[in-house]
Amino acid sequence: MGVPRNHKAILLATFVAFGGFLFGYDIGVISGCLIMPDFVRRFGTTDANGVSTLSASRQSIITSLLSAGTFVGALGQAFTSDRFGRRGSILIWSAIFTAGTAIQTGTVDSIVQITIGRFVAGLGVGALSAIVPLYNGETAPKSMRGMLLVLYQLQIIIGIFISYIIDLGTHHIDGSASWRIPVGLQMLWGLALLSGIFFLPESPRHLLGTGQEEEARRIVAELNSLPPDDPIVIETIEELELAIRAENEGGKATWMECFSERNKLWKRTLNGMMLQFIQQLNGQNFYYYYGDTFFASAGTQLDPYSIQAILGGVSVAGTVPALYLIEAWGRRASLLTGSVMEAICALIAGLVGHFMLAPANTPADQLTTRNKQGGDTLIAFAVLHVFSYSVFWGPTPWVYLGESFPLRVRPKCIALGSATNWIWNFLLSFFAPRIANKIGPLILLIFFGMLVFGYVYVWLFIPETKGLSLEEVDEMYRAGVKPWNSVGWRPSEKHIHDKVGATTEVREVKEKDGDSV
């Protein structure tokens, strides 16, 4: 029996996670473009004095069409993932994303064209936000699955950070190059992901689900750097086959099955959707929207581009330790710790901002010592909030989404989770500025309440899935293990299939050490 080496699986997961880079870059790049003079002149309106402005309604249209596209794409990938496979689906939606960025880059002054381009690119971004966790969850070794799924979140954050840096470097250029360069670079990112057609393997679970056993065996062997007849490869294939046969007994999966009692699917789907919902209402996005105001209140002279770059750098720094902590601490501990840390930050920042911050647009020379101290305190906890989010609540919901569902309904369940993320992303970006205009920093107390709710929800309903195969996650849900007792749970039996002709024997070979299921 050989020793599996997962170097190729790691490289493939890293490459596929580049879909997260597209996701992050596309989200981040437009915020800087909206205040570039040439962009405002081309897509804004001009008053009687010849001054161009990009109204709030036009900004909303340009930004929200991406969210509309991502919502549709996240649901649409469920159909392509089943029909064309995970690999084919990645390539299809990468091409759609690339086409959308080409439409945006080629726009002269038509707001209709650039918003259509945003919508088309959003289709690809939304689909990839669901396919990448799906693909990595199915191809990653269980001992490394959490880390490899965190790579997706890391790529998102790096994409946002790189877009901020590029905006910072190009915003002073005269003419359309100031925004065409950062927007047009997305075509290069899309083409890079499209190059995967030359070496990206199909998911072994999908291949077995479509009857392609020999190809699945070859890929499992290749991902583990073992020969196809190695006992580890044979055992892996046979365990997958048993699980797939059990899943397919009920015929073709439907969307309603995602909420059925079978294997507690309703609970698993709801958990995936709720974690995405809570993630969007953690409050971290608020700091991106109002960071320039907070920094100004502290007496700094940083421009919005520099502020974005600072917060982006903090996010990258926070996501790196998550690669280790997701496996060392597990999913539950990460979410619970993040809820506590972020809730403390939101509470302090909200109260300090309300009672000590100067009114908006107060000249710097009129700031009192108390105002500056309040601004410094708020900035410190804003940075800590963003950092804590990046370590815990940023990556973990995506990890949970990628490892919680059986093959039969996995694309549909992940689509529902991703779509939930995008619809709340849209609602937050639409309503948060309006609420903040009414109550100011006290909006952070709303996020504080959501983080408290998140802690309670995770404690009561989210089981620990660290170190379990996707099939073992199924067994845990079927066994009805209470989430607070799930940390030490291990499967009661390991299935090995010795094929003799058409006969498959299932033997119990490993009992959980001293514990009952």
Side-chain angles (χ1 to χ4, degrees):
M1 180 182 292
V3 177
R5 296 183 299 275
N6 308 114
H7 302 151
K8 185 158 187 177
I10 295 172
L11 290 174
L12 288 174
T14 303
F15 174 80
V16 174
F18 190 71
F21 182 90
L22 305 188
F23 176 176
Y25 188 94
D26 199 50
I27 291 172
V29 74
I30 197 64
S31 59
C33 294
L34 291 175
I35 55 177
M36 292 179 181
D38 187 80
F39 191 92
V40 172
R41 180 183 65 79
R42 288 172 182 271
F43 305 111
T45 55
T46 305
D47 60 21
N49 298 321
V51 178
S52 298
T53 57
L54 193 61
S55 66
S57 61
R58 290 200 168 210
Q59 289 187 38
S60 177
I61 290 172
I62 293 173
T63 55
S64 64
L65 259 290
L66 174 75
S67 295
T70 54
F71 178 77
V72 175
L75 294 176
Q77 67 77 32
F79 300 98
T80 59
S81 291
D82 282 337
R83 182 175 180 82
F84 302 106
R86 287 36 164 169
R87 173 178 179 271
S89 195
I90 288 172
L91 300 174
I92 289 169
W93 293 105
S94 298
I96 291 173
F97 169 82
T98 306
T101 60
I103 293 171
Q104 294 176 66
T105 308
T107 304
V108 177
D109 55 14
S110 170
I111 191 171
V112 173
Q113 181 176 338
I114 198 166
T115 51
I116 289 175
R118 293 279 294 166
F119 179 82
V120 174
L123 293 173
V125 169
L128 290 169
S129 74
I131 299 171
V132 172
L134 170 67
Y135 182 88
N136 276 356
E138 291 184 348
T139 57
K142 66 180 181 180
S143 61
M144 307 175 66
R145 190 175 62 240
M147 183 192 73
L148 295 181
L149 285 169
V150 169
L151 279 174
Y152 174 64
Q153 176 67 17
L154 178 60
Q155 294 269 28
I156 293 174
I157 297 301
I158 290 175
I160 293 174
F161 179 59
I162 294 297
S163 73
Y164 289 163
I165 296 298
I166 293 175
D167 279 349
L168 177 64
T170 65
H171 77 276
H172 65 278
I173 299 175
D174 293 329
S176 64
S178 60
W179 58 272
R180 287 189 197 275
I181 290 174
V183 171
L185 277 173
Q186 294 176 100
M187 289 188 286
L188 181 61
W189 313 145
L191 290 172
L193 197 55
L194 273 171
S195 69
I197 194 172
F198 297 110
F199 59 84
L200 201 63
E202 184 52 83
S203 159
R205 284 178 173 85
H206 175 75
L207 289 171
L208 287 173
T210 55
Q212 302 178 64
E213 180 180 338
E214 288 306 314
E215 181 65 9
R217 188 185 305 277
R218 184 188 67 79
I219 290 174
V220 168
E222 189 176 334
L223 291 175
N224 288 279
S225 300
L226 294 171
D229 58 352
D230 189 272
I232 290 179
V233 175
I234 295 172
E235 178 184 330
T236 300
I237 290 294
E238 293 178 341
E239 286 183 351
L240 290 175
E241 286 178 331
L242 178 67
I244 290 168
R245 281 198 298 271
E247 291 168 7
N248 290 338
E249 285 175 355
K252 187 176 181 180
T254 65
W255 286 94
M256 288 306 297
E257 187 175 336
C258 297
F259 300 95
S260 69
E261 274 288 342
R262 183 184 186 189
N263 292 342
K264 302 295 182 183
L265 282 173
W266 68 271
K267 182 183 294 186
R268 298 154 79 169
T269 302
L270 183 63
N271 281 347
M273 296 173 69
M274 285 298 295
L275 287 181
Q276 296 292 328
F277 159 65
I278 297 169
Q279 183 203 58
Q280 281 299 308
L281 294 181
N282 266 213
Q284 78 290 343
N285 286 334
F286 178 78
Y287 296 114
Y288 285 103
Y289 299 147
Y290 290 91
D292 54 341
T293 302
F294 295 157
F295 275 66
S297 299
T300 70
Q301 302 299 316
L302 293 173
D303 60 66
Y305 296 100
S306 299
I307 294 168
Q308 287 181 328
I310 290 170
L311 292 177
V314 169
S315 296
V316 172
T319 308
V320 172
L323 292 168
Y324 168 77
L325 292 176
I326 195 68
E327 295 296 352
W329 286 15
R331 287 53 160 162
R332 273 177 63 87
S334 293
L335 292 171
L336 293 171
T337 304
S339 296
V340 172
M341 292 183 64
E342 291 180 60
I344 292 172
C345 292
L347 180 63
I348 295 175
L351 294 176
V352 168
H354 177 71
F355 290 109
M356 297 182 66
L357 222 57
N361 302 317
T362 300
D365 58 2
Q366 296 181 23
L367 295 175
T368 66
T369 301
R370 176 183 172 84
N371 294 152
K372 292 182 179 180
Q373 289 175 343
D376 289 339
T377 302
L378 193 149
I379 289 170
F381 281 95
V383 170
L384 183 58
H385 191 147
V386 170
F387 182 84
S388 300
Y389 169 83
S390 300
V391 176
F392 302 114
W393 270 93
T396 309
W398 292 109
V399 172
Y400 186 86
L401 200 63
E403 64 184 10
S404 295
F405 309 108
L407 176 68
R408 176 182 170 79
V409 292
R410 189 170 295 139
K412 292 180 173 64
C413 291
I414 291 179
L416 289 169
S418 298
T420 301
N421 181 286
W422 285 112
I423 195 66
W424 281 100
N425 180 284
F426 168 75
L427 292 172
L428 180 69
S429 63
F430 186 81
F431 287 109
R434 290 162 173 77
I435 296 173
N437 284 337
K438 297 287 186 182
I439 64 175
L442 287 180
I443 190 176
L444 291 170
L445 298 187
I446 297 176
F447 301 130
F448 166 77
M450 179 55 62
L451 286 159
V452 172
F453 168 77
Y455 182 95
V456 174
Y457 187 89
V458 170
W459 179 264
L460 293 176
F461 300 111
I462 303 299
E464 181 56 71
T465 55
K466 181 185 77 170
L468 302 178
S469 70
L470 301 184
E471 290 68 38
E472 290 166 348
V473 172
D474 279 346
E475 183 182 341
M476 179 174 63
Y477 272 99
R478 289 196 302 268
V481 178
K482 300 297 184 185
W484 52 88
N485 293 329
S486 63
V487 174
W489 182 87
R490 288 295 178 269
S492 60
E493 60 181 32
K494 182 180 179 68
H495 298 293
I496 300 178
H497 314 286
D498 300 312
K499 290 187 178 179
V500 180
T503 303
T504 301
E505 180 187 12
V506 179
R507 296 188 294 112
E508 292 187 26
V509 298
K510 186 175 75 175
E511 292 291 337
K512 181 185 167 190
D513 296 334
D515 295 322
S516 59
V517 176

